[in-house]
Amino acid sequence: MALRHAVLAALLDGEYSGYQLAKGFDIGVANFWHALPQQLYAELAKLETEGLVTGREVVQEGRPNKRLFRVTEAGLAEMERFAARAAKPSFIRDDLLVKVQAVDGVAAAPVIEQLTERAQMADAKIELLEKLLVKLRGGADEEEFLRTGERVGPYLTCLRGLAFERESRDWCRRAAALLSERTAAARGRG
Amino acid sequence: MALRHAVLAALLDGEYSGYQLAKGFDIGVANFWHALPQQLYAELAKLETEGLVTGREVVQEGRPNKRLFRVTEAGLAEMERFAARAAKPSFIRDDLLVKVQAVDGVAAAPVIEQLTERAQMADAKIELLEKLLVKLRGGADEEEFLRTGERVGPYLTCLRGLAFERESRDWCRRAAALLSERTAAARGRG
DNA sequence: CCATCATAGTCAACAATCTGAATAGTCAGA
DNA sequence: TCTGACTATTCAGATTGTTGACTATGATGG
């Protein structure tokens, strides 16, 4: 059971449809979990049959109806149990790092390109996360909000996501610059 | 195909057995990939039938024989192709972050405890990685090594792993301290 | 009028990963 | 001599995650 708790955690924020969860970066969980729409729909269906969430149909005009889900008491209890049992250690799992690991044995140019792209994507995500943080703390000072705010969980996970993206961007830029210099130097030597 | 390239990348460093990879994933590729022994043995077998690695039996005394694998030319070519095609974006996927996301709705104490444990584990990994970096650069200065060293790929991935662990540790400590203060403050108010 | 995008959701097939157990020999300590 | 830990590997089965296609409707742009 993996995705289920991420979905439950996302739904603690309020009512969402599968579609909203699939799209929603502003719903926070995207910082530390990723899933395709199909998985989310499937997981929501399973959670509903198990009584951990309930869905209600919302009739819409000008667009298809949707089903909004919220966590039940049983769902919250499940989350409570999940939070209390030991978490397994986490790790980065990233194709790009595999490529960099092998970069001394293969052509560096495409790896440099991918590092640059990744850095740009990180920039975009950083901007999004910074805006999200401002929104979450509602104009208040960060320290103040963290001391006295009501819901600091999503804020803390955003901070983690932001730090990760910043580190990722800086490292990508540094590695790209370095590999470029080395390629240039190698060409210089013939 | 996912694990296969991580294994190939690891084997670019030299000859290893499945067992060594399973253990030393802590040292080598473990910064950005994780796999159980069973997966590694299975993947190595598949890679061998496809001719991307070759294994040779090494007879040992006082312990079971082992099979050491190395990358073939076909394997290197496969790595080359892999490095050249676009990498998918990566993300953190971590149970502990899910728990922190939900911390406003569940008991904070076990989450704080897990954050503290995680910070300690990060400390241990930081120490390991720092030693590994020193070993990799062979006593030379880092800048100098990165400019002129022969194999910078593993060094760069270690740097990324180190940055990740440091960020992780700092965030865990900060989150744990903050949640503790908030719990104390809440008790104070009754 | 047509193409395309956004909303909203579903199905089937497949690949990747994890859980749990088993085998089998060596070595060190109680 | 029994116990447990380390080396070294294998098998079966379940769970998770990915790929690709498909159904609808309404809105937007050319």
Side-chain angles (χ1 to χ4, degrees):
Chain A
M1 310 298 154
L3 178 58
R4 65 196 302 102
H5 298 109
V7 170
L8 286 172
L11 290 177
L12 289 177
D13 262 355
E15 278 188 326
Y16 294 102
S17 68
Y19 189 78
Q20 284 174 298
L21 286 177
K23 291 268 132 178
F25 191 91
D26 45 330
I27 315 169
V29 205
N31 299 319
F32 52 86
W33 213 271
H34 151 87
L36 298 165
Q38 299 95 311
Q39 272 177 278
L40 291 169
Y41 287 117
E43 197 62 51
L44 284 168
K46 246 169 71 184
L47 285 167
E48 195 178 21
T49 65
E50 290 171 40
L52 303 182
V53 306
T54 41
R56 63 185 182 93
E57 187 89 11
V58 172
V59 180
Q60 296 186 114
E61 280 176 56
R63 61 180 61 182
N65 296 342
K66 62 181 174 185
R67 301 200 68 215
L68 292 182
F69 294 89
R70 63 180 176 76
V71 179
T72 63
E73 275 184 46
L76 189 60
E78 170 57 29
M79 203 60 211
E80 184 85 46
R81 278 193 298 280
F82 169 69
R85 64 172 193 261
K88 347 177 177 167
S90 79
F91 42 84
I92 310 182
R93 184 175 273 190
D94 187 346
D95 275 1
L96 189 47
L97 284 247
V98 176
K99 295 174 188 191
V100 171
Q101 174 85 14
V103 81
D104 303 297
V106 303
V111 178
I112 294 167
E113 209 181 307
Q114 288 173 66
L115 284 166
T116 310
E117 275 170 45
R118 182 65 68 84
Q120 276 162 21
M121 298 193 326
D123 269 331
K125 210 163 171 185
I126 287 164
E127 222 180 298
L128 265 170
L129 285 168
E130 279 170 348
K131 278 180 192 156
L132 183 52
L133 283 175
V134 170
K135 198 178 124 196
L136 282 173
R137 68 176 178 255
D141 170 62
E142 180 167 285
E143 288 302 315
E144 180 64 18
F145 172 76
L146 284 173
R147 260 199 313 278
T148 63
E150 269 183 36
R151 301 160 66 78
V152 292
Y155 197 91
L156 286 171
T157 56
C158 268
L159 281 178
R160 182 71 190 94
L162 185 58
F164 176 79
E165 293 297 334
R166 285 198 178 129
E167 268 305 338
S168 184
R169 178 197 55 186
D170 294 348
W171 179 82
C172 285
R173 293 249 153 85
R174 188 181 177 196
L178 193 104
L179 292 174
S180 295
E181 276 168 44
R182 286 172 61 93
T183 320
R187 260 202 300 278
R189 284 198 312 275
Chain B
M1 309 297 155
L3 177 59
R4 66 193 303 101
H5 298 110
V7 170
L8 285 173
L11 290 179
L12 289 177
D13 263 354
E15 280 188 324
Y16 294 103
S17 68
Y19 189 78
Q20 283 174 299
L21 286 176
K23 291 267 131 178
F25 245 47
D26 269 350
I27 318 160
V29 204
N31 300 318
F32 52 86
W33 212 272
H34 152 87
L36 299 164
Q38 301 94 309
Q39 280 176 271
L40 290 169
Y41 286 115
E43 198 61 50
L44 283 168
K46 246 169 72 184
L47 286 167
E48 194 178 20
T49 65
E50 290 171 40
L52 303 183
V53 306
T54 41
R56 63 185 182 92
E57 186 89 14
V58 173
V59 180
Q60 298 185 115
E61 279 175 58
R63 61 181 61 183
N65 296 344
K66 63 180 172 183
R67 301 201 68 216
L68 292 182
F69 294 90
R70 64 180 174 77
V71 179
T72 63
E73 275 185 44
L76 189 60
E78 170 57 29
M79 204 60 211
E80 185 86 49
R81 278 193 298 280
F82 170 69
R85 63 170 193 262
K88 345 176 179 170
S90 78
F91 40 85
I92 310 181
R93 185 176 271 188
D94 187 346
D95 275 2
L96 188 47
L97 284 247
V98 175
K99 294 175 187 190
V100 171
Q101 173 84 12
V103 80
D104 304 297
V106 303
V111 177
I112 294 168
E113 209 180 309
Q114 289 173 66
L115 284 165
T116 309
E117 273 171 46
R118 181 66 67 86
Q120 277 162 21
M121 298 193 326
D123 269 331
K125 209 162 172 186
I126 287 165
E127 222 180 301
L128 263 171
L129 286 168
E130 279 170 348
K131 278 180 193 158
L132 182 51
L133 284 174
V134 171
K135 198 178 125 196
L136 282 173
R137 68 176 178 255
D141 170 63
E142 180 166 287
E143 288 302 316
E144 180 65 17
F145 173 76
L146 284 172
R147 260 199 312 280
T148 64
E150 269 182 37
R151 301 162 66 77
V152 292
Y155 197 90
L156 286 171
T157 57
C158 268
L159 281 178
R160 181 72 190 94
L162 185 58
F164 176 79
E165 292 298 334
R166 285 199 177 126
E167 269 304 337
S168 184
R169 177 199 55 188
D170 294 348
W171 178 82
C172 284
R173 292 250 154 84
R174 188 181 176 196
L178 192 104
L179 292 174
S180 294
E181 275 168 44
R182 286 172 60 95
T183 320
R187 259 200 302 277
R189 284 200 311 277

